[in-house]
Amino acid sequence: MIPLSVAEIAEITGARPHPAADCGPVVTDTVVTGPVVIDSRQARPGSLFAALHGRYADGHDFASQAVAAGAAAVLASRPPGVPALIVPDVAAALAALARACVDRASGLTIAAVTGSAGKTTTKDLAAQLIESLGPTVAPQDSYNNEIGHPLTVLRVTEQTRYLVAEMSARGPGHITALCEISPPRLGAVLCVGHAHAGEFGSIDEVAKAKAELPAALPDHGAAVLSADDPRVLAMAEHTAARVVTFGRSPRADVGADDVVLDEAGRPGFTLRTTAGSAPVRLRLHGEHNVVNALAAAALAGQLGMDVAAVAAGLSAATARSRWRMEVTRRPDGVTVINDAYNASPEAMRAALSALAAMARGRRAFAVLGPMAELGAQAEELHEQAGRQAARAGLAGLIVVGEQAAPMLAAARADRSWRGELLQVPDAAAAVAAVSERVRPGDTVLVKASRAASLERVALALTGEVQL
Ligand SMILES: Nc1ncnc2c1ncn2[C@@H]1O[C@H](COP(=O)(O)OP(=O)(O)OP(=O)(O)O)[C@@H](O)[C@H]1O
Ligand SMILES: [Mg+2]
């Protein structure tokens, strides 16, 4: 982070310094140099420990451990037994602190990515391109909400030139709030889908929330919008920034010609931009990653990277975040695709299509769990996924958990279904069912929403864990 004294942090966050009985007062001229951490085990000399009340633990109980590990200051919402800066809302204080760091970081350019699917993948690709232009900070994994985003921003130092942010929304105003923490010059909107549609009420409400990113951009900025999604393209009307489109549509400013998939389902294509073309061979699996790569290319292009460098960078880029189309070839010749990080209807379709492409006519199995947060449409959207599974020509569909049962029913009812159908109660039963059936040459996809934690199935199949 950008170094701040404890007194400055108190002023920025409106905190009240609170002494602790045995340890004395808060020392206000101590300088906090970072990192800002919410896990006491990551505290180091110079750290700021922020005590959050999580689902499983209360950070206030660990403040003394953070101080023992060298933390220079503690931010808390109640006295935690060590000298601390007390604020009513620690997340809001982190947001204020993050904004103050952005204001102090001269020469920082911020690019943000939002959309219903592909944010982390696009952010990881964009970061790998932009790193070649200068020191870049990008979120770890999916740090994209009111906690993860400020923590990411607080990793910016005086040397940082680029911040690539992932922004998620579970309700109106969330993206606006993230943009206020770190005002982006560039913003990419990937797609508007059903992820979190249950919480929003409808897909049009999801679109409104994603539109907050282009709406927050300045007139000297660039809105990178999908030419393939009419709801995203319509956001061009509501931004002061220049609009650059990307996608499979031939009208896109940044597009992909001659897309082919290799035997492992990795796309190759000609990157086509208004400034020229260059060949790309992605290391990521699945055709859906073409548009993620195009969005990353558009962002890097807006920062001045030339087409050849972008194409070379995309071809060298690897998957930085786990459990997204993570492909493991077992010694016995069975291929396991761990795409279990998350699932939405759009992501299910993309993964099933990638599975069919990668199996190339050999036997394919899918282990699918529930898709969460779909609201009233949940049953219908699970049925749709079941029909897509039927049309993917699977040898077997293994559905995990009651909530996902409509997938099985819809696959069974579909006239194109030829394979075996199985409903299992949990991850361990899924592993047993797959293990009994697979033979060398088979491919197995594992996918569900985060809450189902089906990565355990994939990790058990690849031997990384035992269930
Ligand atoms: N362009 C795309 N279209 C459809 N599905 C996609 C696309 N890109 C990724 N996915 C699917 O979405 C899943 C999650 O990908 P990723 O983590 O990049 O998305 P995300 O938007 O960051 O998700 P989250 O909201 O969980 O942070 C992947 O496993 C893949 O199945
Ligand atoms: Mg993500």
Side-chain angles (χ1 to χ4, degrees), residues 69-106:
V74 172
L75 200 55
S77 54
R78 62 172 169 78
V82 289
L85 296 172
I86 306 295
V87 289
D89 179 344
V90 173
L94 285 176
L97 211 49
R99 174 64 204 235
C101 283
V102 167
D103 290 341
R104 285 165 171 75
S106 51

Side-chain angles (χ1 to χ4, degrees), residues 1 30 47 50 93 112 220-221 234 248 260 274 309 327-328 351 364 378 393 397 399 411 423:
M1 73 181 266
T30 304
S47 280
H220 62 283
R248 303 297 294 270
V260 290
T274 47
V327 176
T328 307
L397 171 63
V399 171
Q423 171 90 42

Side-chain angles (χ1 to χ4, degrees), residues 50-68:
L52 290 169
H53 206 95
R55 197 186 309 169
Y56 303 109
D58 182 353
H60 295 84
D61 299 337
F62 298 90
S64 58
Q65 282 179 26
V67 170

Side-chain angles (χ1 to χ4, degrees), residues 119-120 141-142 144 166 324 341:
K119 295 181 292 298
T120 296
D141 204 45
S142 263
N144 60 18
E166 173 172 340
R324 281 115 174 142
Y341 179 76

